[in-house]
Amino acid sequence: MLTMKKMIAEKLSEGIAALGAPSTLGVNELIAMLEYPPDEGMGDLALPCFKLSRTLRRAPVQIAAALCDCLTELAPVEKAEAVNGYLNITLSGQYLLEHVLADIAAKGERYGATDEGKGKTVVLDYSSPNVAKPFHIGHLGTTVIGHSLKKLHEFAGYQCIGINYLGDWGTQFGKLIVAYKKWGNKEMIEQGGIDKLVELYVKINNAISGNEEKGIPADPALGDESRAEFHKLELGDEENLALWRWFIDISLEEYQKTYKQLGIEFDSYKGESFYTDKMPAQVQKLRDMGLLKIDDGASIVDLEPYNMPPCLILKRDGSTLYPTRDIAAAVYRKSEYNFDKAIYVTSAGQSLHFAQWFKVVELMGYDWHDQLVHVPYGTVSINGAKLATRTGNVVLLKDLFAAAIEEVSRIMEEKNPDLENKAEVAEAVGVGAIVFYYLSNSRIKDINFVMEDALNFDGNTGPYAQYTYARTCAVLRKAGDITCDNLTYTTPEEATLVKALARFPETVEKAIADYEPSVITRYILDVAAAFNRFYHNCPIINADDAAVRATRVEITRAVNRVLGNAFPLICMRTMEKI
Ligand code: ARG
């Protein structure tokens, strides 16, 4: 579509110059001004002429009428009409077919990709669960938004480094060590894995602060013990270090299962602990620059001039904090990867934290401070208590996936009992359903998860999208090697569908510019709807005319390609049969 927009914009620019504009509008400005009208009856593209009225010193209606003429000869344009100050442009179905399908066939796997990121590096910090604490649905956002952004950037030619900044350091390990020594043993953890660790963690927290409901009195001495064990860990105590490493390995093993279901791999697992010896240099720099203030014994950076609360760097006892580690990590990543952009995906609850330490990095004189990007997202809640788990009131990600997979297996048993690789398909569709549902909303919106909605095969869902992809595969299997030398345009359904395909490259651009995977999700639904309308209204393999049949197979091939390119951008797998 961009190529066509450009051709149209060039003609319009000439037309505007001919109207005697004092300063002629550039082609790029005109491209940006071309809109997609809300309904197809108004054409495929529209130029609102109000914005030109002042420069051209004429009424919008007159401008629209005058510009109509300059487009009549242009190949992609079938019709140009002036309506109420808009110039409405209808594209030629035949032209669209020929040019868009050729473009898709030529670019193949790279159709939709740009090279905006060529030679540039992006570091993405996402997922980053806190070891020993539950990996719950609150982490769904950072995990799938983060990975989608990585895929999108890779698609646009950036070199991407995905970092899982594990929460692998902190007083929670002291607690876990105490709990383990008190109530746990080796076999118990080897058999029970992360669930047992979380159970121990919950138990010790309840014991330290007490739990009225359960009639457990508070035992603050356990808190002191935990701090002491963590301190031993910090000093390099062999026994505690071994336990700490072991807890991390057990947790990672579990996370890997979830990542595998999502098709996620990280390039680095350097967690918070890695930065222990990298913080002092940054703290010293802050001190040398006179940026540190002592406040009630703690060291802070005053951010009052920037209307933010102070950024905490050191506690009263000299121990470091979350922002201190983030600053040290950013400095390290800049020197290690020389990124052009560093993206952090976390819940919106952490927005202030990021705004604060980004500002501190700026005050420290690091000229790359403006390459740091925080991408926040809203909260997730879930319907009913059906999915509540042993670990209390949080819903674990793996349980959510398991529930979806189970439900999909049940539906498939009903709909298609003879399917091969049932387990694999159920996993892809079940996990895909959750991801798709989650990524259907703008990321910043809070969402309430309704499992039935996510799994509805007839709704605007992941299963519906995957089913549509499988349908294109079925058509192509039947079509065999039918190819087409002269595409023949016959029905508006074809034009609508091909226009949707033509919008893929701009859609990818927008998703990247807004850090918004939902742009892709919604696009997939548009393509799926247009394809299904085409499929139901236009015979493909059964078309009487050979040229029409071949054209429609070619269109189906292009849909298959575009969906196949789009799914991985939102962490969803393509299944040839469902
Ligand atoms: N581990 C943190 C949490 O679960 C998220 C870390 C986000 N990344 C960062 N660089 N601060 O809340």
Side-chain angles (χ1 to χ4, degrees), residues 162-227:
I163 300 182
N164 195 331
Y165 181 62
L166 288 175
D168 61 359
W169 201 242
T171 43
Q172 78 257 35
F173 286 96
K175 291 182 184 170
L176 205 54
I177 290 169
V178 172
Y180 174 76
K181 286 183 180 166
K182 230 174 138 61
W183 302 303
N185 59 62
K186 198 158 186 247
E187 294 84 72
M188 170 188 182
I189 305 297
E190 268 167 4
Q191 279 166 22
I194 195 168
D195 290 348
K196 276 287 163 207
L197 287 182
V198 171
E199 214 174 286
L200 286 174
Y201 184 70
V202 171
K203 189 165 172 179
I204 184 126
N205 274 318
N206 281 336
I208 294 173
S209 45
N211 186 324
E212 264 179 43
E213 263 173 45
K214 295 184 181 151
I216 307 171
D219 184 356
L222 280 178
D224 296 336
E225 241 177 86
S226 301
R227 273 184 289 279

Side-chain angles (χ1 to χ4, degrees), residues 125 128-130 139 165 167 272 322 326 333 344 346 350 353-354:
D125 175 317
S128 312
N130 292 326
H139 295 105
Y165 181 62
E272 296 191 29
Y322 190 42
D326 259 324
R333 289 172 190 171
Y344 298 82
T346 77
Q350 298 198 28
H353 160 76
F354 282 93

Side-chain angles (χ1 to χ4, degrees), residues 65-144:
L67 289 179
C68 274
D69 292 342
C70 67
L71 293 180
T72 42
E73 298 287 292
L74 198 63
V77 176
E78 173 153 315
K79 195 169 75 178
E81 275 178 314
V83 183
N84 300 332
Y86 279 91
L87 175 61
N88 289 349
I89 303 160
T90 304
L91 299 170
S92 138
Q94 181 66 33
Y95 186 94
L96 277 164
L97 268 190
E98 285 168 12
H99 288 80
V100 177
L101 297 190
D103 196 26
I104 295 174
K107 296 194 176 129
E109 280 182 3
R110 293 285 298 158
Y111 177 70
T114 59
D115 53 8
E116 74 166 55
K118 218 168 149 211
K120 295 194 185 132
T121 300
V122 175
V123 167
L124 298 104
D125 175 317
Y126 63 101
S127 199
S128 312
N130 292 326
V131 174
K133 292 189 190 168
F135 192 24
H136 56 78
I137 54 164
H139 295 105
L140 182 61
T142 170
T143 307
V144 299

